[in-house]
Amino acid sequence: MSDDETILSPWFLLAESVEECWSCGSDTRVFAVLLPNVEDGAKAGNDGDDNTSAPTPCSLSNISDVNDAVETYLKGLSPHFFPDYSGTAGQTYWMNHCEKCLTKIGDFYLHSKPGHAFFPVTDKEIHKIQLHRIDIALEADAGWGQSSWIDELLENARF
């Protein structure tokens, strides 16, 4: 992992939701990594005291590389979430796949299209997302994004 692209956090959240496969129309589970405020009072963009190198809270996307402990966790999560090549992104990253037909369901589709799993626009869509606290230190090469839905989801979350 290159230091200038590496995101660090002492723990992370796994977001789980359901998405309709764009290819076969089946509902399939999908996953994303979120970074909450790692410490009480952490400030967005603070890369010192909270041991997080991305602003928090945020969602990670196009995760191209992770430390061994996180890789082991993700590999055990689902046989449909694994590194694969994206022609849209021009890179290999941890990607969701349809549980029925194995079609790639890329991060751009899930994170950048309103109304999809990780770009909810209604309260109903926000509440479809389940959060799981993962007490494993995270080191990842990834992009990140911030959105008000993450703040709203975390408001009432208990970890």
Side-chain angles (χ1 to χ4, degrees):
M1 288 187 246
S2 60
D3 291 339
D4 59 340
E5 298 176 351
T6 302
I7 295 170
L8 305 170
S9 182
W11 60 281
F12 63 97
L13 294 172
L14 181 74
E16 180 179 343
S17 193
V18 175
E19 179 69 32
E20 182 180 304
C21 175
W22 61 268
S23 180
C24 74
S26 295
D27 282 347
T28 190
R29 290 181 312 148
V30 291
F31 303 96
V33 173
L34 302 182
L35 297 182
N37 283 334
V38 175
E39 287 185 338
D40 292 336
K43 303 264 192 239
N46 181 348
D47 59 1
D49 296 338
D50 66 3
N51 195 30
T52 304
S53 54
T56 58
C58 69
S59 64
L60 302 186
S61 60
N62 296 20
I63 302 171
S64 61
D65 197 15
V66 294
N67 54 306
D68 291 344
V70 172
E71 180 175 354
T72 298
Y73 173 80
L74 293 177
K75 282 182 177 178
L77 180 64
S78 168
H80 303 98
F81 186 62
F82 57 88
D84 205 350
Y85 182 77
S86 165
T88 301
Q91 72 179 84
T92 297
Y93 64 86
W94 283 86
M95 186 182 304
N96 289 280
H97 297 76
C98 177
E99 293 172 311
K100 183 175 181 188
C101 72
L102 292 180
T103 295
K104 297 175 186 181
I105 305 174
D107 280 1
F108 180 80
Y109 184 77
L110 294 173
H111 293 261
S112 300
K113 300 264 186 182
H116 288 275
F118 303 116
F119 194 152
V121 293
T122 67
D123 286 343
K124 182 179 179 183
E125 291 169 348
I126 290 171
H127 296 297
K128 283 177 37 177
I129 301 170
Q130 298 176 357
L131 294 178
H132 310 279
R133 179 180 169 137
I134 311 303
D135 286 313
I136 301 172
L138 172 78
E139 186 175 338
D141 285 350
W144 54 268
Q146 292 181 291
S147 182
S148 60
W149 73 264
I150 300 170
D151 297 331
E152 189 171 332
L153 183 64
L154 293 174
E155 269 181 28
N156 299 314
R158 290 179 181 33
F159 316 117

